Amino acid sequence: MASFPCKGMLNFGILRARNLRTCSRLKLHTAQSKRRAAAESPTQQAQAADDIVIPDYIERSPTDILKALSSTVGRDLTASHFKFHDDPYLMPRSNPDKRQFALSQEAGRNAARWIRDHKPELFSHQTAQPFSQVRTRPVEVFDTDSAVSEETLLRLIDEVRVSDAVTVYRKLAAENAELSRETRQALLELFCYHNCDDTLAEDRIEERWFASTAVATKVRNTWKDNGVAEEVFRSLEPLDARAYNTLIRGMAKYHQADRAKKTWDEMLNQGFKPELETYNHMISIASFVMESSQKQWEFVEDLLRQMAADGVRPNTSTLTAVMHAVQMLGSWRNARETALAAWRELRAIGVRPSLASYYCLLSVFYRDRNNSAVSGSLLKSVLNELQGKSFTIEHPMDTYFFTTAMNICKNKLQDRDLALRVDELLHTGDNYDLIGDSYKEAIYYRNLLGLLSVTEPIEAFIENFYNKLVPNVYTPEPGIMEGLVKAVNLNGAVQYIPQLWTDMVTFGHTNRTSLLTTLLQTLALNPGQTDEQRSQLAAVGWDLFERVERQRSERHDKSDRLHWTAPMLGDLILVLTRAGEVSQAARILRKLDAEQTEVVGVPDVRAVQGLFDMALVHQKTPVCVLCARYACEMGFGEAQAMADTLLSTLPVTDDDRLKLASAGLEVPPPQS
């Protein structure tokens, strides 16, 4: 991408300054015009009605111009995401390639950032005026020799540099430096919130986007026991309610449930009152501190009663925590009734749910297929309440709502209309920001396309959904492509087979036995309407054969190769024969004949019979002999009829007669 020259940047700054001065003069002129108009008579006002009135200056954000320009350009549905190269030879298509490409780019940026931070002397020339501290200032590195103070620690807390704050705190502690209680409390809050670890920077977008594909999502205890957070907590003697609340929230957030409960009891015994968010965190870990489902819910009820007694009013996070606690109760028989009762009670006192609250509620009701009528009406009610609204992130579980809702539409209800309503809600306002990450996005579109491919007319599905989402938004997995090929077969819409095969090659799906078997079956069952269409289908089949053969020859490990089956090759023979490709079909039959011990199964007799008939028309005697002999060896009843037809129609050499006879066919002696 070309960069602006310095002169152009200066000119742009000059123009912006001129525009600001012009806008100021226009605002002054408008105000003066209004004062004059108020002093004029009605006749004078009527005469001035045709004057041009310039509106007041409107404050704009830095990206408003870019948004305006973007609105004039439509999305290129044939291209991948804008972060990839707009080049057909460099553009990644498959999901692994997209991930590798995006993370490679980010690795380059991280390398440049590392050089900037560790070699600051190379960047002494500062062109920006005023100097940009955020973008160009090298990050200060702290070690045991660094000169630090309490002000340094406060600055690190403000900049959320956790590991550096740990280093500076330990150095100050080793020097017996006195820190104010407020500083130590702020440090405790930083360590508890981040568990003493640095989080990914906000500008490392791709690592965040692809993080879930590399990190296990299983809930586990990750709290650093006896770490620096607890050390800071003990330094706050005498302990107060604020310190207790902070530590409990940190332990609960990172699933150290037993110690969180122990610290909770200790805080209550000291006579301190829990804060609202501390209640919410304790409710969320109810399933980890009690054994049976009944005791877990009783624990939640006790916390809610204690909140009421302390005069603590529940909020959105409280509702989400309660719904999550019910969700974690598993297959408890009273889960649905309990969830609805708690939902109604909290909503009745004005608590507003978030997307995470709805996600937990849906998870409780759609755990299995029972009560499908009630469950179906529940999702409709949720969508009726959310329709047309735009949301912002309030809870980490907000990002699970859209994926869960689409999964319910596909796998629980098979409801096309509800799926389209969920998709409409996702694309309302900025709701797409809540899709989560690459893994959740892939699951969402897998369920959406999987459902629509079997409920929409195939022409409408390809035009309105497949062509708009693939490949710029979503790369279908082999399972989705297989379902789509089955839908094409069911509708007889073989005109889409060449496009789908091109996508399979692009996405790297040509080594999937199940997918290729389904594709060949579809080709065999749909002969095509015209000669051109039959030729296109034959070209797809032959390209498939050559690609698989190439892969088999390049892979030395036989267990890693794609294994042909006789029905697959039989379907391919049938497709090639219909298009008149006798030589290509004969090559495949020779492969079947030569590799009978390796190729599993028996081909359809119609494939061999069709090749024989086409070879007979083209007077290819060797191919006819091959068909008759192979049919006899496979035990097909049509073998003798093939031999008789061949002998009575085409001239046959003595060698051909010997081949037929050696296969067990009855061959009359040649007539003199």
Side-chain angles (χ1 to χ4, degrees), residues 22-89:
T22 303
C23 290
S24 300
R25 289 197 296 269
L26 291 175
K27 291 173 67 175
L28 177 61
H29 173 72
T30 303
Q32 293 173 346
S33 299
K34 289 180 178 179
R35 288 194 294 269
R36 285 198 303 269
E40 290 175 349
S41 64
T43 304
Q44 292 174 324
Q45 291 181 11
Q47 292 175 350
D50 296 333
D51 292 347
I52 297 176
V53 179
I54 300 176
D56 291 343
Y57 171 76
I58 300 175
E59 187 69 30
R60 302 290 186 182
S61 72
T63 59
D64 280 352
I65 294 179
L66 294 177
K67 290 179 180 179
L69 292 174
S70 176
S71 65
T72 64
V73 181
R75 170 178 258 175
D76 182 4
L77 301 178
T78 64
S80 290
H81 195 275
F82 66 86
K83 64 188 172 188
F84 304 120
H85 284 308
D86 190 11
D87 187 306
Y89 294 100

Side-chain angles (χ1 to χ4, degrees), residues 591-603:
K591 179 181 179 62
L592 271 171
D593 184 42
E595 302 178 7
Q596 292 185 29
T597 58
E598 297 182 14
V599 179
V600 180
V602 179

